[in-house]
Structures are given as C-alpha cells and as structure tokens.
C-alpha cells in the first residue's frame, strides 16, 4: 500500500472526515482500526506548543527537533490507531484532546503540533479480527514501506 487516501479507500477504509469536527454518531460503535491522514502535501510546519490538552499533568508538547526526527516525508497517513471495543468511543477522546480538553488519548499526540492539524482527516475500518493485531500488521506494513512507523505512532 502507498498510504494515500486512494489506497486506504481501496483497503476498505471509510469516513475521511475532519477529525476535529467528527460527528461521532456517524462512526461505527464496533471494534476496528483508524488512520489519521494529512491531505496537504505541502512542506510540513510544526507549532512550538501543542494545542492538545494535558493528560495526567503532562505537557503534550515536544521540541521541534523531536518532531522533525519523527516526520516521514511522503505518506498521507500520520497515525494508525486501534479501537478494541468501539471506534466511536476511541475517537471521541482523540478529538477532545485535540480540542484542548483533558482526555485519555495520549498516543498520537504529535499530530496536535502540526500547523495544519485542523485539516487532518480520520478514516476507519471495522474489524472482525482482533483490532490490536490488525493495527500491528498495518504499522509493520508502513514500516516496510517507509523504514519507520507513522509520524505520530510512538510505540511499535
């Protein structure tokens, strides 16, 4: 897979809606995997401070150097996540932390330091198989294609 919107659609992903204005009732209340996509292919710019809410008294901001080292030029996908119980329940805190609220979604936080974070899209695919296994497989496929995990995936 080349990790573009078209490739994700061909792989059965749906949605492709702005993460920050996500209408939660439209998101399946089933297990699955999701991707955050940066549709803009312009040169990336980072914010000095994250717009994300703090979680457990931890500042989500990291230095520009950390972000630059994590950045991968080319793919539209910047994060791959899983929802073991419900995509709707998992994406709600991810959206909320990006709105500046405290929320239980510390993983993937680097996306909230992208200057164009408001244009990020989220897509999802429900899974009959274990979502954690599918997520790991997708990250491994991404790593094979680009030599590292997606930009905001800090584990695996």
């Amino acid at each position: 897979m080349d990790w573009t919107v078209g490739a994700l659609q061909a792989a059965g992903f749906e949605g492709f809606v702005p993460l920050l204005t996500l209408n939660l009732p439209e998101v399946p209340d089933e297990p699955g995997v999701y991707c955050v996509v940066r549709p803009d292919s312009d040169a990336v710019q980072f914010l000095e401070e994250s717009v994300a809410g703090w979680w457990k008294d931890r500042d989500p901001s990291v230095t520009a150097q950390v972000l630059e080292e994590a950045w991968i030029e080319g793919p539209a996908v910047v994060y791959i996540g899983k929802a073991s119980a419900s995509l709707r329940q998992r994406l709600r805190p991810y959206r909320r932390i990006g709105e500046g609220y405290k929320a239980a979604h510390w993983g993937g936080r680097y996306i909230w330091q992208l200057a164009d974070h408001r244009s990020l899209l989220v897509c999802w695919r429900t899974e009959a198989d274990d979502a954690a296994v599918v997520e790991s497989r997708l990250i491994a496929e991404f790593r094979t294609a680009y030599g590292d995990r997606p930009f905001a995936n800090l584990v695996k």
Side-chain angles (χ1 to χ4, degrees):
M1 180 166 20
D2 62 5
W3 301 96
T4 62
V5 169
L8 290 169
Q9 289 171 328
F13 282 84
E14 303 174 306
F16 300 94
V17 295
L19 178 55
L20 281 177
T21 58
L22 180 63
N23 184 5
L24 288 167
E26 294 176 3
V27 178
D29 195 20
E30 301 171 48
V33 291
Y34 60 95
C35 294
V36 177
V37 177
R38 182 177 180 255
D40 186 357
S41 62
D42 291 344
V44 69
Q45 294 182 341
F46 301 114
L47 301 174
E48 191 173 315
E49 292 186 16
S50 178
V51 298
W54 287 39
W55 178 245
K56 295 185 178 182
D57 295 322
R58 293 186 293 174
D59 184 349
S61 301
V62 296
T63 66
Q65 179 180 351
V66 168
L67 296 169
E68 288 165 6
E69 289 173 1
W71 184 250
I72 297 175
E73 197 63 47
V77 171
V78 293
Y79 182 71
I80 299 171
K82 71 177 178 310
S84 297
S86 164
L87 285 159
R88 185 181 308 157
Q89 290 175 12
R90 187 66 182 141
L91 288 172
R92 182 179 186 272
Y94 201 20
R95 182 192 71 190
R96 287 191 49 80
I97 203 163
E99 294 171 328
Y101 296 101
K102 289 182 181 181
H105 201 302
W106 192 246
R109 67 188 175 277
Y110 286 5
I111 70 166
W112 305 118
Q113 257 179 280
L114 292 170
D116 58 357
H117 65 274
R118 293 191 179 284
S119 68
L120 296 175
L121 305 178
V122 64
C123 61
W124 54 82
R125 184 175 75 193
T126 59
E127 294 294 338
D129 296 329
D130 184 345
V133 171
V134 176
E135 177 203 34
S136 292
R137 187 178 70 239
L138 291 172
I139 292 171
E141 290 173 14
F142 187 99
R143 188 184 297 270
T144 297
Y146 292 99
D148 205 352
R149 60 188 176 251
F151 166 68
N153 283 91
L154 307 181
V155 181
K156 296 186 183 177

